[in-house]
Amino acid sequence: MTPSPLPTRALGSYSGIEVGAIGLGCMGMSWGYGAAERDEERSIAVIRRALELGVTLIDTSDMYGPFKNEQLVGRAIRGRRDQVVIATKFGIMRGDDSSFRGINGRPEYVRACCEASLRRLGVDAIDLYYQHRVDPDVPIEDTVGAMAELVKAGKVRYLGLSEASAATIRRAHAVHPISALQTEYSLWTRDPEDEILPAVRALGIGFVAYSPLGRGFLTGQIKRFDDLAPDDYRRNSPRFQGENFTLNLRLVDRIRHLAAEKALPAAQLAIAWVMAQGEDIVAIPGAKRRQHLEENAAAARIRLSQADLASLAAIAPKDSAIGTRYPQANMRYLNG
Protein backbone atom coordinates (compact mmCIF):
# COMPACT_ATOMS: atom_id res chain seq x y z
CA MET A 1 0.00 0.00 0.00
CA THR A 2 1.34 3.43 -0.92
CA PRO A 3 1.31 5.76 2.10
CA SER A 4 -0.54 9.04 1.90
CA PRO A 5 1.63 12.04 0.94
CA LEU A 6 3.57 13.72 3.68
CA PRO A 7 2.06 16.80 5.27
CA THR A 8 3.79 19.93 4.02
CA ARG A 9 5.22 22.97 5.75
CA ALA A 10 6.18 26.42 4.50
CA LEU A 11 9.77 27.54 4.91
CA GLY A 12 9.11 30.93 6.43
CA SER A 13 6.10 33.16 6.11
CA TYR A 14 6.92 34.88 2.83
CA SER A 15 9.33 32.78 0.72
CA GLY A 16 6.74 30.65 -0.99
CA ILE A 17 8.79 27.48 -0.49
CA GLU A 18 6.57 24.59 0.59
CA VAL A 19 8.20 21.25 1.30
CA GLY A 20 7.42 17.93 2.88
CA ALA A 21 7.40 18.40 6.65
CA ILE A 22 10.44 16.13 6.86
CA GLY A 23 13.34 16.42 4.44
CA LEU A 24 16.35 14.23 3.76
CA GLY A 25 19.88 15.03 4.87
CA CYS A 26 22.30 13.40 2.45
CA MET A 27 25.67 14.00 4.14
CA GLY A 28 26.13 10.46 5.44
CA MET A 29 25.76 9.03 1.95
CA SER A 30 29.16 10.46 1.00
CA TRP A 31 30.96 11.64 4.13
CA GLY A 32 31.28 11.35 7.87
CA TYR A 33 30.01 7.97 9.00
CA GLY A 34 32.66 5.67 7.56
CA ALA A 35 33.53 4.53 4.06
CA ALA A 36 32.01 1.10 4.61
CA GLU A 37 28.58 2.71 4.94
CA ARG A 38 28.71 4.35 1.52
CA ASP A 39 26.90 2.80 -1.42
CA GLU A 40 26.04 5.21 -4.23
CA GLU A 41 23.44 3.07 -5.95
CA ARG A 42 21.67 2.35 -2.68
CA SER A 43 21.77 6.04 -1.80
CA ILE A 44 20.31 7.06 -5.15
CA ALA A 45 17.50 4.57 -4.59
CA VAL A 46 16.89 6.10 -1.14
CA ILE A 47 16.65 9.62 -2.58
CA ARG A 48 14.22 8.47 -5.26
CA ARG A 49 12.13 6.65 -2.69
CA ALA A 50 12.11 9.83 -0.61
CA LEU A 51 10.58 11.73 -3.51
CA GLU A 52 7.91 9.03 -3.86
CA LEU A 53 7.03 9.51 -0.20
CA GLY A 54 6.71 13.29 -0.53
CA VAL A 55 10.08 14.06 1.06
CA THR A 56 10.85 16.95 -1.24
CA LEU A 57 13.61 18.91 0.56
CA ILE A 58 16.89 17.22 -0.35
CA ASP A 59 19.83 18.68 1.56
CA THR A 60 23.46 18.47 0.45
CA SER A 61 26.65 20.58 0.49
CA ASP A 62 29.76 21.03 -1.59
CA MET A 63 31.87 19.85 1.39
CA TYR A 64 30.20 16.44 1.68
CA GLY A 65 32.68 14.09 0.09
CA PRO A 66 33.94 16.69 -0.67
CA PHE A 67 31.99 17.40 -3.86
CA LYS A 68 30.80 13.79 -4.31
CA ASN A 69 27.47 14.22 -2.57
CA GLU A 70 26.26 16.95 -4.91
CA GLN A 71 27.14 14.70 -7.85
CA LEU A 72 25.23 11.83 -6.25
CA VAL A 73 22.17 14.00 -5.64
CA GLY A 74 22.38 15.25 -9.21
CA ARG A 75 22.27 11.68 -10.52
CA ALA A 76 19.36 10.81 -8.23
CA ILE A 77 17.13 13.72 -9.29
CA ARG A 78 17.84 13.51 -13.02
CA GLY A 79 14.46 13.45 -14.74
CA ARG A 80 12.74 14.33 -11.45
CA ARG A 81 13.69 18.00 -11.09
CA ASP A 82 10.09 19.15 -10.67
CA GLN A 83 9.67 16.89 -7.62
CA VAL A 84 12.52 18.25 -5.53
CA VAL A 85 13.59 21.35 -3.61
CA ILE A 86 17.39 21.26 -3.73
CA ALA A 87 19.27 22.81 -0.84
CA THR A 88 23.04 23.01 -0.95
CA LYS A 89 25.72 24.99 0.86
CA PHE A 90 29.07 26.69 0.47
CA GLY A 91 31.59 28.14 2.87
CA ILE A 92 33.46 25.25 4.49
CA MET A 93 36.62 24.63 2.50
CA ARG A 94 37.94 21.08 2.32
CA GLY A 95 40.79 19.57 0.38
CA ASP A 96 40.38 16.55 -1.84
CA ASP A 97 41.48 14.46 1.15
CA SER A 98 38.57 16.01 3.12
CA SER A 99 40.94 17.99 5.37
CA PHE A 100 39.51 21.22 6.76
CA ARG A 101 40.89 24.31 5.01
CA GLY A 102 38.90 27.04 6.75
CA ILE A 103 35.74 29.11 6.32
CA ASN A 104 35.32 31.37 3.30
CA GLY A 105 32.59 33.93 2.74
CA ARG A 106 34.36 36.17 0.24
CA PRO A 107 32.12 37.27 -2.65
CA GLU A 108 34.35 35.80 -5.36
CA TYR A 109 34.32 32.46 -3.52
CA VAL A 110 30.53 32.55 -3.25
CA ARG A 111 30.20 32.98 -7.01
CA ALA A 112 32.74 30.27 -7.84
CA CYS A 113 31.11 27.79 -5.45
CA CYS A 114 27.67 28.37 -6.92
CA GLU A 115 28.87 27.72 -10.46
CA ALA A 116 30.59 24.52 -9.35
CA SER A 117 27.53 23.30 -7.44
CA LEU A 118 25.26 23.94 -10.42
CA ARG A 119 27.55 21.79 -12.59
CA ARG A 120 27.75 18.96 -10.08
CA LEU A 121 24.01 18.94 -9.46
CA GLY A 122 23.23 19.23 -13.17
CA VAL A 123 20.61 21.96 -12.65
CA ASP A 124 20.04 25.49 -13.90
CA ALA A 125 19.18 26.90 -10.48
CA ILE A 126 19.62 25.98 -6.82
CA ASP A 127 16.37 26.28 -4.89
CA LEU A 128 17.87 27.11 -1.49
CA TYR A 129 21.50 28.20 -1.16
CA TYR A 130 23.00 28.33 2.33
CA GLN A 131 26.15 29.84 3.70
CA HIS A 132 27.30 26.74 5.60
CA ARG A 133 29.20 28.64 8.28
CA VAL A 134 29.63 32.36 8.79
CA ASP A 135 33.10 33.64 7.93
CA PRO A 136 34.28 35.68 10.93
CA ASP A 137 36.65 37.65 8.71
CA VAL A 138 34.12 38.78 6.07
CA PRO A 139 31.17 41.08 6.85
CA ILE A 140 27.94 39.15 6.43
CA GLU A 141 26.68 42.02 4.28
CA ASP A 142 29.38 41.28 1.71
CA THR A 143 28.65 37.56 1.61
CA VAL A 144 24.88 37.93 1.40
CA GLY A 145 25.30 40.70 -1.14
CA ALA A 146 27.10 38.23 -3.40
CA MET A 147 24.43 35.62 -2.75
CA ALA A 148 21.75 38.17 -3.66
CA GLU A 149 23.48 38.72 -7.01
CA LEU A 150 23.05 35.00 -7.69
CA VAL A 151 19.31 35.38 -7.11
CA LYS A 152 19.15 38.29 -9.54
CA ALA A 153 21.05 36.18 -12.09
CA GLY A 154 18.51 33.35 -11.75
CA LYS A 155 21.11 30.89 -10.46
CA VAL A 156 19.63 30.69 -6.96
CA ARG A 157 15.99 31.04 -5.91
CA TYR A 158 16.17 31.53 -2.14
CA LEU A 159 18.89 32.23 0.41
CA GLY A 160 19.69 30.56 3.70
CA LEU A 161 22.20 30.64 6.52
CA SER A 162 23.48 27.81 8.71
CA GLU A 163 24.62 28.11 12.32
CA ALA A 164 24.33 31.91 12.31
CA SER A 165 23.72 34.02 15.41
CA ALA A 166 20.56 36.05 15.88
CA ALA A 167 22.48 39.30 15.27
CA THR A 168 24.02 37.94 12.06
CA ILE A 169 20.64 36.75 10.83
CA ARG A 170 19.17 40.21 11.31
CA ARG A 171 22.06 41.89 9.46
CA ALA A 172 21.84 39.38 6.61
CA HIS A 173 18.07 39.71 6.32
CA ALA A 174 18.44 43.47 5.95
CA VAL A 175 20.56 42.93 2.82
CA HIS A 176 18.34 40.31 1.19
CA PRO A 177 15.45 38.21 2.57
CA ILE A 178 16.69 35.03 4.21
CA SER A 179 14.22 32.21 3.66
CA ALA A 180 15.63 29.58 6.00
CA LEU A 181 18.08 29.09 8.83
CA GLN A 182 19.56 25.64 9.26
CA THR A 183 20.89 24.78 12.71
CA GLU A 184 21.27 21.65 14.80
CA TYR A 185 18.18 21.01 16.93
CA SER A 186 17.08 17.92 18.80
CA LEU A 187 16.23 16.60 22.23
CA TRP A 188 19.91 16.85 23.11
CA THR A 189 20.72 20.13 21.34
CA ARG A 190 18.27 22.85 22.35
CA ASP A 191 20.35 26.03 22.37
CA PRO A 192 18.41 27.50 19.37
CA GLU A 193 15.51 28.03 21.78
CA ASP A 194 17.35 30.85 23.58
CA GLU A 195 17.82 33.41 20.79
CA ILE A 196 17.77 31.78 17.35
CA LEU A 197 14.17 30.55 17.16
CA PRO A 198 12.72 33.82 18.53
CA ALA A 199 14.77 35.79 16.00
CA VAL A 200 13.79 33.79 12.92
CA ARG A 201 10.16 33.74 13.97
CA ALA A 202 10.15 37.51 14.38
CA LEU A 203 11.56 37.86 10.85
CA GLY A 204 9.35 35.23 9.20
CA ILE A 205 12.29 32.93 8.42
CA GLY A 206 11.84 29.17 8.27
CA PHE A 207 13.86 26.89 10.56
CA VAL A 208 15.48 23.70 9.27
CA ALA A 209 16.61 21.34 12.02
CA TYR A 210 19.63 19.23 11.13
CA SER A 211 20.74 16.23 13.19
CA PRO A 212 17.29 15.81 14.81
CA LEU A 213 18.50 12.33 15.81
CA GLY A 214 21.65 13.57 17.51
CA ARG A 215 23.90 12.16 14.76
CA GLY A 216 22.15 8.82 15.16
CA PHE A 217 22.66 8.57 18.91
CA LEU A 218 18.98 9.18 19.75
CA THR A 219 17.95 6.15 17.69
CA GLY A 220 19.26 3.88 20.45
CA GLN A 221 21.17 1.82 17.89
CA ILE A 222 24.62 2.99 19.03
CA LYS A 223 25.36 1.21 22.29
CA ARG A 224 29.17 1.20 22.42
CA PHE A 225 31.87 3.54 21.21
CA ASP A 226 33.22 0.64 19.15
CA ASP A 227 29.94 0.52 17.23
CA LEU A 228 31.37 3.52 15.34
CA ALA A 229 33.59 2.69 12.37
CA PRO A 230 37.29 3.58 12.75
CA ASP A 231 36.87 6.40 10.20
CA ASP A 232 33.55 7.68 11.61
CA TYR A 233 33.90 11.38 12.42
CA ARG A 234 31.67 10.96 15.48
CA ARG A 235 34.65 9.38 17.24
CA ASN A 236 35.98 12.95 17.51
CA SER A 237 32.74 14.31 18.99
CA PRO A 238 32.92 15.04 22.73
CA ARG A 239 29.41 13.64 23.23
CA PHE A 240 30.53 10.25 21.96
CA GLN A 241 33.70 10.02 24.03
CA GLY A 242 34.60 8.45 27.37
CA GLU A 243 32.31 9.10 30.31
CA ASN A 244 30.22 11.47 28.17
CA PHE A 245 29.19 8.50 26.02
CA THR A 246 28.07 6.53 29.07
CA LEU A 247 26.12 9.42 30.57
CA ASN A 248 24.47 10.29 27.26
CA LEU A 249 23.53 6.65 26.76
CA ARG A 250 21.46 6.87 29.94
CA LEU A 251 19.58 9.79 28.42
CA VAL A 252 18.96 7.80 25.25
CA ASP A 253 17.77 4.80 27.26
CA ARG A 254 15.13 6.96 28.93
CA ILE A 255 13.93 8.20 25.53
CA ARG A 256 13.95 4.66 24.17
CA HIS A 257 11.86 3.34 27.07
CA LEU A 258 9.26 6.08 26.61
CA ALA A 259 9.13 5.31 22.89
CA ALA A 260 8.58 1.62 23.66
CA GLU A 261 5.64 2.53 25.89
CA LYS A 262 4.11 4.28 22.89
CA ALA A 263 5.03 1.40 20.55
CA LEU A 264 7.28 3.72 18.54
CA PRO A 265 10.89 3.46 17.46
CA ALA A 266 13.04 5.91 19.44
CA ALA A 267 13.95 7.68 16.19
CA GLN A 268 10.31 8.49 15.46
CA LEU A 269 9.73 9.84 18.94
CA ALA A 270 12.81 12.08 18.69
CA ILE A 271 11.79 13.46 15.28
CA ALA A 272 8.17 13.92 16.36
CA TRP A 273 9.41 15.99 19.31
CA VAL A 274 11.28 18.34 16.94
CA MET A 275 8.24 18.67 14.71
CA ALA A 276 6.05 19.47 17.72
CA GLN A 277 8.15 22.54 18.56
CA GLY A 278 6.51 24.60 15.84
CA GLU A 279 4.77 24.43 12.48
CA ASP A 280 7.61 26.53 11.06
CA ILE A 281 10.18 23.77 11.65
CA VAL A 282 11.26 21.25 9.02
CA ALA A 283 13.53 18.41 10.16
CA ILE A 284 16.12 16.84 7.85
CA PRO A 285 17.21 13.52 9.37
CA GLY A 286 19.78 11.60 7.39
CA ALA A 287 19.11 8.12 6.05
CA LYS A 288 21.28 5.78 4.01
CA ARG A 289 18.81 2.91 3.90
CA ARG A 290 15.21 2.70 2.74
CA GLN A 291 13.98 1.30 6.08
CA HIS A 292 15.34 4.26 8.01
CA LEU A 293 14.04 6.75 5.46
CA GLU A 294 10.51 5.35 5.65
CA GLU A 295 10.63 5.23 9.45
CA ASN A 296 11.78 8.84 9.63
CA ALA A 297 9.20 10.06 7.12
CA ALA A 298 6.41 8.37 9.07
CA ALA A 299 7.29 10.55 12.08
CA ALA A 300 5.69 13.49 10.23
CA ARG A 301 2.29 11.98 10.98
CA ILE A 302 2.87 11.41 14.70
CA ARG A 303 1.10 13.86 16.99
CA LEU A 304 2.48 14.01 20.51
CA SER A 305 0.08 14.94 23.30
CA GLN A 306 0.83 17.51 25.96
CA ALA A 307 1.36 14.58 28.33
CA ASP A 308 3.91 13.09 25.92
CA LEU A 309 5.76 16.39 25.69
CA ALA A 310 5.72 16.75 29.48
CA SER A 311 7.17 13.25 29.85
CA LEU A 312 9.96 14.09 27.40
CA ALA A 313 10.66 17.34 29.22
CA ALA A 314 11.06 15.37 32.43
CA ILE A 315 13.37 12.66 31.07
CA ALA A 316 15.33 14.84 28.62
CA PRO A 317 15.40 18.36 30.04
CA LYS A 318 17.24 21.14 28.27
CA ASP A 319 21.05 20.90 28.53
CA SER A 320 20.87 17.24 29.57
CA ALA A 321 23.40 16.13 26.95
CA ILE A 322 26.96 15.92 28.23
CA GLY A 323 29.73 17.38 26.09
CA THR A 324 29.91 20.04 23.40
CA ARG A 325 28.35 19.52 19.98
CA TYR A 326 31.67 19.58 18.14
CA PRO A 327 35.35 19.46 19.12
CA GLN A 328 36.46 22.72 20.69
CA ALA A 329 38.28 23.92 17.56
CA ASN A 330 35.00 23.80 15.63
CA MET A 331 32.80 25.39 18.26
CA ARG A 332 33.94 28.90 17.32
CA TYR A 333 32.13 28.57 13.99
CA LEU A 334 28.73 27.86 15.56
CA ASN A 335 26.17 30.64 15.94
CA GLY A 336 28.56 32.89 14.05
Side-chain angles (χ1 to χ4, degrees):
M1 179 182 296
T2 302
S4 58
L6 279 191
T8 60
R9 289 188 173 184
L11 278 183
S13 59
Y14 66 89
S15 71
I17 310 178
E18 190 165 286
V19 297
I22 289 177
L24 175 62
C26 297
M27 181 192 79
M29 297 175 178
S30 305
W31 185 84
Y33 297 142
E37 282 290 300
R38 297 169 204 151
D39 183 322
E40 285 210 356
E41 295 308 317
R42 183 184 68 201
S43 294
I44 287 170
V46 167
I47 293 171
R48 290 176 178 170
R49 177 57 176 158
L51 299 180
E52 292 174 355
L53 294 172
V55 176
T56 55
L57 179 60
I58 305 298
D59 185 90
T60 181
S61 171
D62 61 3
M63 68 153 277
Y64 301 157
F67 316 124
K68 296 177 183 176
N69 196 245
E70 287 183 325
Q71 294 169 340
L72 185 153
V73 169
R75 288 178 58 200
I77 66 170
R78 196 167 298 144
R80 298 167 169 82
R81 182 66 181 95
D82 61 343
Q83 301 175 44
V84 61
V85 174
I86 299 173
T88 192
K89 315 176 196 74
F90 73 92
I92 299 179
M93 299 187 296
R94 290 196 180 276
D96 290 339
D97 61 353
S98 205
S99 59
F100 177 68
R101 301 289 177 85
I103 306 297
N104 194 335
R106 293 192 299 272
E108 63 273 18
Y109 185 75
V110 176
R111 292 187 286 268
C113 285
C114 179
E115 294 292 348
S117 289
L118 288 169
R119 288 194 299 271
R120 286 188 290 265
L121 289 162
V123 298
D124 296 325
I126 295 164
D127 297 309
L128 179 57
Y129 200 39
Y130 291 104
Q131 182 182 20
H132 207 156
R133 293 290 186 272
V134 175
D135 186 339
D137 298 320
V138 176
I140 192 66
E141 290 83 358
D142 293 353
T143 303
V144 174
M147 296 168 72
E149 291 174 4
L150 298 173
V151 175
K152 291 177 184 176
K155 296 178 180 181
V156 168
R157 295 194 172 100
Y158 300 100
L159 302 185
L161 300 175
S162 180
E163 292 287 359
S165 70
T168 297
I169 295 164
R170 293 186 188 100
R171 286 169 55 193
H173 196 65
V175 175
H176 186 280
I178 301 299
S179 295
L181 175 79
Q182 183 178 133
T183 290
E184 184 174 355
Y185 190 44
S186 71
L187 276 165
W188 79 341
T189 297
R190 295 179 56 185
D191 42 307
E193 295 173 356
D194 296 333
E195 296 183 2
I196 304 299
L197 276 167
V200 297
R201 284 171 171 159
L203 295 169
I205 297 170
F207 187 91
V208 177
Y210 79 82
S211 290
L213 296 174
R215 295 175 175 80
F217 205 52
L218 297 178
T219 66
Q221 300 302 307
I222 303 170
K223 296 180 170 53
R224 302 176 306 133
F225 183 77
D226 287 340
D227 288 341
L228 304 175
D231 56 343
D232 191 316
Y233 90 108
R234 291 173 291 186
R235 283 177 169 261
N236 300 313
S237 170
R239 292 187 178 179
F240 286 81
Q241 295 177 335
E243 185 180 9
N244 290 355
F245 184 98
T246 302
L247 294 173
N248 287 328
L249 197 59
R250 294 175 188 170
L251 168 65
V252 173
D253 284 342
R254 295 195 296 269
I255 295 169
R256 188 166 52 84
H257 290 149
L258 179 60
E261 290 176 8
K262 295 181 63 60
L264 293 174
Q268 286 189 342
L269 181 62
I271 295 171
W273 179 88
V274 172
M275 306 304 291
Q277 303 313 302
E279 289 294 320
D280 54 347
I281 295 175
V282 174
I284 52 167
K288 300 182 291 296
R289 290 174 171 78
R290 176 170 171 155
Q291 174 190 347
H292 297 153
L293 165 74
E294 294 178 347
E295 185 177 278
N296 293 346
R301 300 183 182 86
I302 295 171
R303 294 291 178 265
L304 299 181
S305 67
Q306 289 302 311
D308 295 331
L309 294 171
S311 295
L312 282 165
I315 66 174
K318 189 176 180 182
D319 300 325
S320 55
I322 308 300
T324 55
R325 292 201 271 143
Y326 289 91
Q328 201 57 47
N330 301 98
M331 290 298 293
R332 66 183 290 252
Y333 296 115
L334 303 183
N335 296 320

